[in-house]
Amino acid sequence: MSYLVLARKYRPRSFAEMVGQEHVVRALSNALETQRLHHAYLFTGTRGVGKTTVSRILAKSLNCQGTDGQGGITATPCGVCKACTDIDAGRFVDYTELDAASNRGVDEVQALLEQAVYKPVQGRFKVFMIDEVHMLTNTAFNAMLKTLEEPPEYLKFVLATTDPQKVPVTVLSRCLQFNLRPMAPETVLEHLTKVLQAENVPADTQALRLLARAARGSMRDALSLTDQAIAFGSGQLEVATVRQMLGSVDRSHVFRLIEALAQGDGKTVVETSEALRVNGLSAASTLEEMTVVLQRMAVVQAVPDSVDESDPEATEMARLAALMPADETQLLYSLCLHGRGELGLAPDEYAALTMVLLRLLAFKPGAVTTAEKKTLKSAEAPVATAPAAPVAAVPRAAVTTQTAPATSAPAAPAAARPLPVAPVAARPAPTPVDTSERTPPGQVLPVVDAAKAMPPVADSRSNSSVSAVDTAPDAPKVVAVPVRVAPESRADAPVNGASGTPLVPTEEGGFWHLTVQQLVAAEAVTALVRELALQSQLVARDGEHWLLRVERESLNSPTSRERLQNALRAAGHAATLSVEIGRVSDSPAKRNAAAAAEKQQAAEKLIYEDPFVQTMMRDFGAKIVPGSIKPVDPTISPNS
C-alpha cells in the first residue's frame, strides 16, 4: 500500500476544515448561502496557504448534489455525492485545472476557452481554475479578457497566484480578489498537534514549535517538514533530532550570547561564536534566532503581561528582558537584522558572525570610551560660582592693524608700528564701542615693563602722533600689537555653560550637580538616563518628591525617568521623580561647561600675558593657533 503524505492526506475538504483563513471562509460562505455569486475569483497568497484547496471547496459547494441527490448550492458540501468525490479525486468533467506555469501561451488559453461554449455535463457550473495565473503571457491575458468579463451564466473562473503584482490591472478589475494570509506559528502548531494525535506519533511541543517557525506561514511546508522529521526521528519527534534536521541553532547558545552582550562580556561572546563554528551550526540561523528572541524580549519589555506561560522559554526571555534596557534591545535587534545581509559578503561566514557580534558589543549603549572618561573626570572639579575677572579692554582706536604698502621703507619694525590716526578736528568723534567681546585677545596685551613702552610714532600724512599706550584712567596700560588679524580665541566664549539660557546658580542646583557627578563617576547612569540627569534642573524637593525640569521633550521618557529614579534610590536617595518641560538655568551640564570654559579662559589669559609670547608676537609677527591652548589637569605631574 502506497503511503500518502500528510500534506495530501490532511488537505481540507470543506470550509469548516480550513485553518487560518477565517476571513476568506466567512466571505465565501455568506456569498454561497445568499447565492450572491461572482463570476470570477482571484485568490492570492504565498505557497501552501490554501489557494488550490479553496478553489476545490468552492467548486464542490457550487456543484454539490447532497446525500440524497436533491441538494443545491451550499456552503457545506456533503463530500459523499458523485460531484464532491470526483472533484476530490481530480476527475470531475466540469472542473478544469490549468497550470499556467507550464501552459502559459495563447494557444492553451484559447483551447480552454473553447470549452466555455458548452454547458456543464454533470454539474450546475463549469469551473475553470487557472493556477499561477501571473505566468501567462500578455497575449494569453488579452485572449481571455472578453470571456472573463462576460462569461456564460454557468461558467465560473477561479484564478490563483503568488504574485498579484504581475497580473494586469484589466484582469484584476474583473475579479473578486481574496488575499490568503501566511499562517501564524501558533496556528501551525495547533494544527500539527491535531494531525500527529490522529497519526499516533509522539511529539515534543518544543519540536513542533521549531517546525512551525521553519514553515514560515505555509501549512503545506509545515506538514512536509513534519513528514521529514518523523522519518528522521524513526517515528518520534524530539527537540534534538528536529533541531539537527533543520540545522537550527540551539536557543541556549542564543541566550548565552544575549546575556553576554547585556553584561559586556566579550570573552563569552567570542567563545560562544567559536563553539558555533566547531559544531557546524549556521551563522545565518544564529542571527535569525537572535532576532526572534530580541523581538520577543522587546514585546515583554513593552507589555510585561504578554508572557506566554505555556512556552518553556518564556521565563528565560523574561529574565533577559529585565537584564537588558529597552533601547539596547532595539539596537541589538537592528544590528542582527542588518548583519544577516553581510554574511554572504565575507570570505568566511563565521568570521562575519563574529564581527557582527563584536559590533553589538562595541555599540553597546552606555559603553564609556577613554575620551569620555577623561571628560567626566575633568568635569568633576568644583564649579566656582563667582564670575571670572574681566579681561582688560581698550578703546577701538588703540586696536590697529598694519596696512602700510610693502614698498615703503619702514622706520621701525612693522609689527610695532600702529596705523596713524587722523586728527580729531578732521573727522567726528567715533561712537563708543564695547570692545570687551569684539577685540581679539591677540591684538591687545598688557604691558610687561612700563619703562620699555614704545614711543609715539609720527604720522607722515597728518603730522600727528599716536601713543601705543592707552592712558585711560580706569584701564590697565596695554600695547596695540597688530598680528595679521588673528582669529578670535575661545577666551571670549561666554562662561554660562550653554549657548542659550545663562547659568544662574541655585542651592538646589549645587546639590543636584554633586549628586549627578557621583552617579556618573560610579557609572550608575548611562546613555539617555545620563543625559536626562545632566541636562535637568532640580527645581524643588518636597520630602521624597523631587521635581526636575528639562528643556527637551525627548529626554522625558518614562523609561529614562524610571531608571534615573532607581539609580538615585540605589545611591541612598529615596526620591520619587517628576519631570516638567521648561527653561533650565542651572543644570549639571551648564555647571560643567562653565567650569571648563573658566579653565580655558584662565589658560589662554596666562599664555597671552606671557612676556616671551608678547615679544614673539610683537617682533616677529607670530600668532597662536586657535584651539591649541588647553588647560592642564593639575592632578597630572609635569614630568609625566
Side-chain angles (χ1 to χ4, degrees):
M1 181 177 179
S2 61
Y3 173 72
L4 190 63
V5 298
L6 297 179
R8 294 180 58 189
K9 183 177 181 180
Y10 291 94
R11 180 191 291 269
R13 289 175 170 79
S14 65
F15 287 129
E17 297 178 5
M18 288 289 296
V19 176
Q21 308 297 345
E22 289 78 7
H23 61 295
V24 177
V25 170
R26 180 179 179 182
L28 293 178
S29 298
N30 293 337
L32 290 167
E33 290 174 358
T34 59
Q35 296 193 12
R36 298 177 62 90
L37 302 175
H38 204 272
H39 62 268
Y41 296 89
L42 175 63
F43 297 117
T44 65
T46 186
R47 76 274 178 266
V49 293
K51 299 184 295 297
T52 305
T53 299
V54 172
S55 172
R56 293 180 180 179
I57 296 175
L58 179 61
K60 289 193 295 185
S61 299
L62 293 173
N63 293 289
C64 180
Q65 300 171 358
T67 56
D68 56 355
Q70 303 297 323
I73 298 175
T74 177
T76 57
C78 65
V80 296
C81 66
K82 184 173 180 56
C84 292
T85 55
D86 287 351
I87 291 176
D88 287 335
R91 57 174 181 265
F92 191 64
V93 177
D94 296 321
Y95 178 72
T96 304
E97 288 189 4
L98 177 68
D99 180 19
S102 56
N103 301 278
R104 55 193 307 265
V106 63
D107 295 335
E108 290 83 355
V109 173
Q110 286 179 345
L112 178 67
L113 295 178
E114 287 176 358
Q115 304 176 21
V117 298
Y118 303 107
K119 288 187 177 182
V121 177
Q122 296 179 353
R124 299 184 191 90
F125 295 94
K126 274 183 175 291
V127 180
F128 289 168
M129 194 278 178
I130 305 178
D131 198 7
E132 300 299 335
V133 69
H134 68 276
M135 300 292 288
L136 292 178
T137 62
N138 290 333
T139 308
F141 275 122
N142 294 332
M144 64 181 296
L145 284 180
K146 188 60 179 177
T147 307
L148 184 64
E149 182 177 5
E150 297 178 356
E153 59 181 6
Y154 53 79
L155 179 60
K156 302 295 181 183
F157 281 94
V158 179
L159 311 180
T161 177
T162 56
D163 194 355
Q165 282 76 21
K166 293 183 180 179
V167 179
V169 180
T170 52
V171 175
L172 295 177
S173 64
R174 289 167 167 81
C175 299
L176 200 63
Q177 184 173 348
F178 294 93
N179 182 26
L180 280 72
R181 304 165 184 166
M183 300 181 193
E186 292 77 11
T187 304
V188 178
L189 172 62
E190 182 180 356
H191 186 65
L192 289 181
T193 303
K194 295 179 180 178
V195 168
L196 293 178
Q197 287 177 353
E199 291 289 316
N200 294 322
V201 176
D204 294 341
T205 303
Q206 194 61 25
L208 295 182
R209 289 182 186 274
L210 293 176
L211 293 173
R213 285 199 298 265
R216 300 184 181 276
S218 172
M219 186 63 73
R220 183 173 61 218
D221 288 1
L223 292 171
S224 299
L225 288 173
T226 304
D227 256 330
Q228 182 180 355
I230 293 174
F232 189 83
S234 299
Q236 293 184 349
L237 292 182
E238 298 179 351
V239 179
T241 57
V242 171
R243 194 182 298 279
Q244 184 180 0
M245 182 196 75
L246 296 176
S248 58
V249 178
D250 189 357
R251 282 283 176 89
S252 61
H253 294 291
V254 176
F255 292 151
R256 190 180 306 115
L257 282 173
I258 294 178
E259 183 174 3
L261 292 170
Q263 297 175 351
D265 188 358
K267 181 180 179 182
T268 302
V269 170
V270 175
E271 290 178 350
T272 307
S273 176
E274 187 62 25
L276 294 174
R277 179 197 298 270
V278 172
N279 295 330
L281 298 176
S282 171
S285 178
T286 302
L287 292 179
E288 181 179 355
E289 289 294 325
M290 288 186 68
T291 55
V292 173
V293 174
L294 289 169
Q295 183 267 337
R296 295 186 60 183
M297 288 170 53
V299 173
V300 172
Q301 290 170 345
V303 187
D305 297 336
S306 63
V307 179
D308 185 7
E309 300 296 340
S310 62
D311 188 356
E313 297 177 345
T315 304
E316 183 66 15
M317 292 185 184
R319 184 183 70 85
L320 292 176
L323 188 64
M324 182 178 292
D327 53 350
E328 188 173 338
T329 303
Q330 296 290 339
L331 177 61
L332 297 187
Y333 177 82
S334 179
L335 291 178
C336 285
L337 203 62
H338 291 84
R340 292 176 60 187
E342 301 177 5
L343 297 180
L345 303 177
D348 180 6
E349 70 170 3
Y350 293 101
L353 172 64
T354 304
M355 287 302 298
V356 172
L357 296 175
L358 292 180
R359 186 183 308 146
L360 300 179
L361 198 62
F363 285 91
K364 176 180 172 64
V368 183
T369 61
T370 305
E372 289 177 326
K373 290 181 178 179
K374 291 182 179 179
T375 304
L376 294 175
K377 289 181 179 179
S378 62
E380 289 176 0
V383 181
T385 57
V391 180
V394 296
R396 177 62 63 185
V399 183
T400 58
T401 57
Q402 181 66 32
T403 59
T407 56
S408 61
R417 186 172 67 249
L419 283 176
V421 182
V424 177
R427 60 182 180 183
T431 305
V433 179
D434 183 8
T435 62
S436 60
E437 295 183 359
R438 296 174 54 189
T439 305
Q443 296 181 357
V444 182
L445 300 174
V447 176
V448 178
D449 190 353
K452 297 181 180 180
M454 296 180 60
V457 179
D459 186 358
S460 59
R461 293 179 299 176
S462 60
N463 296 327
S464 61
S465 62
V466 180
S467 174
V469 180
D470 187 1
T471 58
D474 297 334
K477 295 181 180 181
V478 295
V479 176
V481 181
V483 192
R484 308 175 192 172
V485 193
E488 289 191 7
S489 167
R490 292 180 58 187
D492 295 326
V495 200
N496 55 14
S499 58
T501 308
L503 174 63
V504 181
T506 61
E507 182 179 353
E508 296 291 351
F511 168 78
W512 181 241
H513 175 257
L514 180 60
T515 303
V516 171
Q517 290 297 95
Q518 292 174 351
L519 295 178
V520 172
E523 297 185 355
V525 291
T526 58
L528 293 178
V529 184
R530 179 179 59 189
E531 288 302 313
L532 173 61
L534 291 173
Q535 302 293 340
S536 62
Q537 176 180 352
L538 180 60
V539 179
R541 287 181 292 168
D542 184 9
E544 296 183 353
H545 181 263
W546 293 11
L547 177 60
L548 301 180
R549 179 184 299 161
V550 294
E551 293 184 350
R552 291 184 292 171
E553 179 69 28
S554 58
L555 293 175
N556 185 22
S557 65
T559 302
S560 300
R561 186 167 62 249
E562 182 179 358
R563 292 173 61 184
L564 177 58
Q565 182 173 287
N566 294 337
L568 289 172
R569 291 180 177 176
H573 303 285
T576 302
L577 297 182
S578 298
V579 181
E580 65 179 13
I581 307 301
R583 188 176 296 275
V584 175
S585 60
D586 185 10
S587 65
K590 288 182 179 291
R591 288 180 175 247
N592 292 342
E598 187 174 350
K599 290 182 180 180
Q600 180 69 24
Q601 198 173 41
E604 293 186 0
K605 185 174 182 295
L606 180 65
I607 295 297
Y608 280 114
E609 291 183 355
D610 184 84
F612 178 75
V613 175
Q614 290 185 353
T615 302
M616 297 296 292
M617 295 176 67
R618 180 179 61 249
D619 297 341
F620 300 100
K623 65 177 181 179
I624 297 176
V625 177
S628 61
I629 302 176
K630 301 293 181 183
V632 178
D633 190 347
T635 60
I636 300 178
S637 173
N639 298 327
S640 60

